[in-house]
Amino acid sequence: MGGRLRHNVRKDVRSRRQMTTATRQEVLGLYRRIFRLARKWQAASGQIEDTIKERQYILNEARTLFQKNKNLTDADLIKQCTDECTARIEIGLHYQIPYPRPIHLPPMGLTPLQGRGLRSQEKLRRLSKPVYLKSHDEIS
């Protein structure tokens, strides 16, 4: 019985290692994709100065966020970060702007639940923040 238990533990450790290897490959792939994107980036205005500034912004933003999150070990948090990264890449390509799209909500624009005040508004505002802006306020 003890040998079977040890075998299952080893198998579980191996599967975790493989999962983290796959996650590592996904994260490194996103990092490479961002650097390729920055190399080929052209500003929508067509101005060389704008292109250089936007390329530099893409590189700095990627370095800052990847550096900040390099020690994450929780699979859910890593998944959340990779989802945010993918969303920001896709939005940047679609709208041809590297900067995160802001959300505009008036200060008391969310419907309060049963007359609750400002605290509930702040909580609703945090919950309504899109995935591509989760880390933007933290580093700004």
Side-chain angles (χ1 to χ4, degrees):
M1 179 92 175
R4 188 180 295 167
L5 180 62
R6 261 186 256 131
H7 176 71
N8 288 341
V9 169
R10 279 191 215 130
K11 187 176 176 182
D12 186 44
V13 169
R14 260 187 263 130
S15 69
R16 281 189 196 160
R17 195 177 310 138
Q18 288 171 350
M19 185 181 76
T20 58
T21 302
T23 303
R24 178 179 167 80
Q25 292 303 316
E26 180 184 2
V27 170
L28 290 174
L30 280 171
Y31 198 65
R32 282 190 299 270
R33 182 176 176 197
I34 291 169
F35 275 78
R36 272 188 243 115
L37 176 71
R39 202 172 342 142
K40 296 176 183 178
W41 186 264
Q42 292 295 318
S45 67
Q47 300 288 327
I48 296 289
E49 300 85 25
D50 292 343
T51 298
I52 292 170
K53 278 197 294 190
E54 289 179 6
R55 285 179 179 175
Q56 197 58 49
Y57 172 80
I58 293 169
L59 295 173
N60 289 339
E61 185 81 356
R63 284 187 188 114
T64 302
L65 288 173
F66 277 84
Q67 213 40 25
K68 178 184 147 236
N69 296 321
K70 74 178 181 180
N71 295 321
L72 288 180
T73 55
D74 182 22
D76 292 334
L77 284 175
I78 294 171
K79 176 77 171 123
Q80 203 174 22
C81 289
T82 57
D83 289 347
E84 178 185 353
C85 182
T86 304
R88 286 184 69 175
I89 289 170
E90 295 303 323
I91 288 170
L93 290 172
H94 179 78
Y95 291 104
Q96 295 185 339
I97 56 169
Y99 312 106
R101 290 179 53 84
I103 55 171
H104 301 288
L105 292 174
M108 296 297 280
L110 299 171
T111 307
L113 301 174
Q114 301 169 349
R116 294 185 187 151
L118 189 58
R119 261 193 256 145
S120 102
Q121 287 287 319
E122 290 172 358
K123 183 178 179 183
L124 288 171
R125 187 176 296 280
R126 272 194 313 274
L127 293 173
S128 68
K129 186 182 268 191
V131 68
Y132 60 88
L133 284 177
K134 293 289 185 197
S135 64
H136 187 263
D137 291 339
E138 296 170 9
I139 62 165
S140 300

